[in-house]
Amino acid sequence: MVLGLTGGIATGKSTVSQLLQDYQIPIIDADKVAREVVEPGTDGLKQIQSTFGWQMIQPDGTLDRHALGTLVFAQHDKLDQLNQIMGPLIKAAVSAKLKRLRRQHQPLIIYDAPTLFEAHGAAGVSAIMVVSVPEDVQLKRLMTRDKLSQSEALNRIASQMPLADKIARADVVIDNAGSVDKTKAQVVKWLNEAGFSSLMSED
């Protein structure tokens, strides 16, 4: 089974991902894959440079994520261009990782993807788990985490599908507004109900 794990920006999806990883459940992290496909020397980085200019590349040859983020979150057409570059590259890399894990006969694989719906990845998973928090909590967490002004944070939230729409399409919703223990209890409940209780025999 491939579980698509998603949520809005700064809803605490990484907390849920870590809880699942603690049970030795393999995670394919879309953000990590996205970094891998734009490492120096990759076709992805060359495409970004030719599309958005050399200003997006740091002196050491790596991608300037801050400069790219500032550009694409302020201009939706630029964000679309970036997604057109990144989408196929991420999809191919994720597909290769899934094949490798399936050959190992893993009973459950987590595809951790913040833009699962936006990148049309929902069709490739068996079920979808959405991590949710109230809007005011999301805004506050994002401003604190990424050191953004309120308007910058709202722009980033607005660049994604509304959280309510993701919740409507979810098979399971994890409320991450409380403590980590409360979040863990919901994750454990789902694992039990989905038939994966054997994965939770902690050493």
Side-chain angles (χ1 to χ4, degrees), residues 38-41 45 57-63:
V38 291
E39 285 176 351
L45 190 62
I57 311 300
Q58 300 194 91
D60 65 357
T62 59
L63 178 64

Side-chain angles (χ1 to χ4, degrees), residues 73-141:
F73 287 116
Q75 301 179 51
H76 284 288
D77 61 322
K78 301 289 187 191
L79 183 60
D80 288 341
Q81 281 182 295
L82 179 63
N83 288 336
Q84 281 165 19
I85 293 169
M86 297 295 289
L89 295 171
I90 293 171
K91 190 174 180 180
V94 167
S95 179
K97 288 175 187 289
L98 273 173
K99 279 179 187 167
R100 193 167 65 248
L101 288 167
R102 283 190 172 121
R103 282 199 296 270
Q104 296 169 13
H105 304 292
Q106 296 283 353
L108 177 61
I109 302 164
I110 310 299
Y111 179 40
D112 176 347
T115 56
L116 183 72
F117 294 113
E118 294 92 333
H120 310 294
V125 299
S126 322
I128 295 168
M129 178 182 282
V130 170
V131 184
S132 170
V133 294
E135 286 177 21
D136 59 324
V137 175
Q138 181 185 18
L139 180 61
K140 189 176 176 185
R141 283 183 183 175

Side-chain angles (χ1 to χ4, degrees), residues 7-12 73 114 133 138 142 145-146 153 156-157 160 166:
I9 189 169
T11 55
F73 287 116
V133 294
Q138 181 185 18
L142 181 57
R145 188 190 76 183
D146 292 358
R156 298 208 174 192
I157 291 169
Q160 294 188 344
K166 294 184 179 185

Side-chain angles (χ1 to χ4, degrees), residues 1-4 20 25 107-110 126-129 171-172 174 185-200:
M1 179 179 185
V2 181
L3 176 70
L20 290 160
I25 299 167
L108 177 61
I109 302 164
I110 310 299
S126 322
I128 295 168
M129 178 182 282
D171 296 291
V172 59
I174 301 293
Q186 295 171 72
V187 171
V188 167
K189 182 171 182 275
W190 179 81
L191 285 167
N192 277 319
E193 289 176 352
F196 295 113
S197 53
S198 62
L199 299 177
M200 295 183 292

Side-chain angles (χ1 to χ4, degrees), residues 150-172:
Q150 185 170 327
S151 62
E152 286 173 328
L154 286 168
N155 268 344
R156 298 208 174 192
I157 291 169
S159 74
Q160 294 188 344
M161 177 189 288
L163 192 52
D165 291 359
K166 294 184 179 185
I167 289 168
R169 295 174 63 181
D171 296 291
V172 59

